[in-house]
Amino acid sequence: SQELEQSPQSLIVQEGKNLTINCTSSKTLYGLYWYKQKYGEGLIFLMMLQKGGEEKSHEKITAKLDEKKQQSSLHITASQPSHAGIYLCGADRSGGSQGNLIFGKGTKLSVKP
Amino acid sequence: ETGVTQTPRHLVMGMTNKKSLKCEQHLGHNAMYWYKQSAKKPLELMFVYSLEERVENNSVPSRFSPECPNSSHLFLHLHTLQPEDSALYLCASSPRGVYNSPLHFGNGTRLTVT
């Protein structure tokens, strides 16, 4: 079965610094989703990547999917306290139309003011 | 406001109790999901309903019993739970069959089994 590994498990950065979170899949990714979760709350959808080499940005967050479609990275530029939370990557198990996602364990981000 | 509402937000129950978790979505989606989030584990998919029919049951113990009376509502009935069932239970919805459409999550119910 497909697995997603995220690194690092946790990250503490000073406000204003850049950071990168990685998500590696054991199988080819049909769709890769990034979510953010505040502690004890639901997941907020950030971005979805589908094509090898694809890159998307929203405000100061950029996500990329590598050409082989087995790894994705999430990059935050000039981090702010509002970026703090748990970032999870999710992958569609069934080719894109089923909505059944598997998830990595998450990366906990803390931003020091 | 996420469009997916879960109640209650917190629940403490004994091992012999029976309780239910409720989820309601206002997004016009036709698929709903239950996920379990335990400490230091990935989110685990429990059940999937599409057009009110259960299409997936991920080897979940029978002490968890889902119900989907219509496309907007999803319940998870709980009985004789174990302490290891303590977790955050998340409901999600999506427009099933729409290619690569993201899941929309509720804020979850934090369940503690004593």
Side-chain angles (χ1 to χ4, degrees), chain A residues 75-86:
Chain A
H75 184 77
I76 299 177
T77 304
S79 58
Q80 299 170 353
S82 61
H83 288 128
I86 301 170

Side-chain angles (χ1 to χ4, degrees), chain B residues 41-114:
Chain B
K41 283 187 176 182
L43 268 86
E44 301 169 65
L45 178 63
M46 300 175 72
F47 300 104
V48 181
Y49 274 83
S50 176
L51 297 172
E52 300 144 45
E53 271 192 44
R54 191 190 311 180
V55 297
E56 184 152 347
N57 175 346
N58 251 9
S59 304
V60 179
S62 59
R63 57 186 184 269
F64 294 91
S65 175
E67 179 190 0
C68 188
N70 55 62
S71 58
S72 298
H73 293 86
L74 184 66
F75 295 90
L76 188 62
H77 303 299
L78 316 170
H79 64 97
T80 58
L81 294 191
Q82 305 298 312
E84 60 265 29
D85 296 322
S86 299
L88 182 67
Y89 289 84
L90 291 161
C91 172
S93 70
S94 75
R96 194 168 177 86
V98 176
Y99 190 69
N100 280 331
S101 180
L103 299 178
H104 295 254
F105 284 85
N107 279 328
T109 294
R110 171 70 62 184
L111 174 66
T112 303
V113 181
T114 61

Side-chain angles (χ1 to χ4, degrees), chain A residues 41-71:
Chain A
E41 296 185 2
L43 281 65
I44 303 297
F45 171 70
L46 296 175
M47 276 173 273
M48 181 262 168
L49 304 164
Q50 182 186 337
K51 300 175 184 175
E54 187 174 10
E55 180 175 320
K56 287 187 178 177
S57 293
H58 176 68
E59 297 181 343
K60 295 184 178 179
I61 301 176
T62 300
K64 300 179 186 179
L65 182 62
D66 76 353
E67 290 288 345
K68 293 184 180 178
K69 296 175 68 175
Q70 285 199 257
Q71 187 171 41

